[in-house]
Amino acid sequence: MSLEQLLERGAVWRASEAVAEPVVAGLSCGHLELDQLLQGQGWQPGSLVEVLYDTEGCGELRLLLPLLAASQERWVLWVDPPHIPYAPALKAAGVALDRLLLVRSNSRRDRLWCIEQALKSGCCSAVLGWLGDVSPQALRRLQLAAAEGEGLGFIFRPTACKDQASAAPYRLLLEPDQAPDRLAVSVLKRRGGWPLSRRVLSLRQRSLGNRAASLASLPGASAARVRPGG
């Protein structure tokens, strides 16, 4: 494996990056255990977050619901989710439906273009995109776009991609836990620190309706298309 690939995976710490990048207050994930593991106590603005998992409904959306509920000012864009988001559950979780946009693309090229333009525009507080096997160059372009727009991009990919090089400053590996309100998270890469081994996080949130949050990530839930205006 080349040095560049090791750097992309976060397996090598580069001292110059620690000096060049000031620590700013992060955007809270809404999960105290995860915030405490991240520089600035949350996601750093202008970052790409790669979310790796194999089991749909393991908690990949519940992990993001607190952040999405806090995103009331700018748009939240969903690009090619595997299922149409369940609008009543999102509303019950505090997510502003009139700030959500859903895009269906016709090809991987269109999908990447849409995610890149949305990140670069600065109009979105968060962009959620579901991708499969894409090149490291494509991920680098998405990270550059996120940095330019100062938003957050969440890219969902299968676990098999975890050994591939990625320019995303954050990479999370998700695995289902036996308890329905818990999620196993391994931080494969994080800005300003070493990777972290498997931790089990609670997905219970005092400010969220837990039942509604659970429905939001179930593949078989009755669906309603999300569009501006409800």
Side-chain angles (χ1 to χ4, degrees):
M1 184 175 293
S2 68
L3 177 60
E4 182 177 354
Q5 288 175 314
L6 290 171
L7 287 168
E8 295 284 13
R9 292 180 60 187
V12 175
W13 178 67
R14 186 157 44 188
S16 61
E17 292 183 347
V19 175
E21 295 185 3
V23 179
V24 299
L27 299 173
S28 175
C29 310
H31 303 279
L32 180 61
E33 305 100 317
L34 186 55
D35 281 343
Q36 292 174 340
L37 302 177
L38 302 176
Q39 185 183 55
Q41 298 290 296
W43 307 119
Q44 293 288 302
S47 298
L48 193 67
V49 182
E50 199 172 350
V51 183
L52 306 166
Y53 64 95
D54 282 333
T55 305
E56 280 189 12
C58 67
E60 68 276 13
L61 292 182
R62 291 185 66 184
L63 187 69
L64 302 184
L65 278 178
L67 176 67
L68 299 184
S71 303
Q72 302 287 334
E73 300 299 326
R74 293 187 291 169
W75 296 104
V76 174
L77 180 68
W78 301 51
V79 181
D80 288 332
H83 307 281
I84 298 175
Y86 186 49
L90 293 173
K91 183 177 180 179
V95 178
L97 297 185
D98 59 353
R99 294 284 89 190
L100 298 190
L101 293 171
L102 174 63
V103 171
R104 292 294 189 191
S105 67
N106 296 317
S107 67
R108 180 187 301 175
R109 179 179 178 180
D110 290 347
R111 187 179 309 139
L112 286 168
W113 181 87
C114 180
I115 295 172
E116 181 180 358
Q117 296 305 311
L119 288 171
K120 189 184 297 184
S121 71
C123 296
C124 299
S125 58
V127 177
L128 283 61
W130 280 259
L131 295 173
D133 190 10
V134 294
S135 69
Q137 291 77 14
L139 292 176
R140 183 179 293 277
R141 286 179 63 93
L142 295 183
Q143 169 53 33
L144 291 174
E148 182 176 338
E150 298 183 348
L152 284 172
F154 293 91
I155 303 301
F156 301 92
R157 304 179 73 200
T159 301
C161 300
K162 70 182 180 66
D163 293 324
Q164 299 177 4
S166 173
Y170 302 97
R171 304 188 81 197
L172 305 181
L173 175 62
L174 309 185
E175 298 171 289
D177 188 72
Q178 293 181 348
D181 290 317
R182 297 173 73 85
L183 175 67
V185 179
S186 300
V187 182
L188 304 181
K189 185 180 179 183
R190 57 178 175 147
R191 176 166 281 165
W194 295 103
L196 296 171
S197 58
R198 188 176 186 268
R199 314 284 179 100
V200 178
L201 305 181
S202 171
L203 295 179
R204 290 183 179 273
Q205 296 297 312
R206 289 191 299 269
S207 60
L208 298 180
N210 289 311
R211 182 174 181 275
S214 177
L215 288 173
S217 62
L218 288 177
S222 299
R225 182 173 295 275
V226 176
R227 62 185 186 275

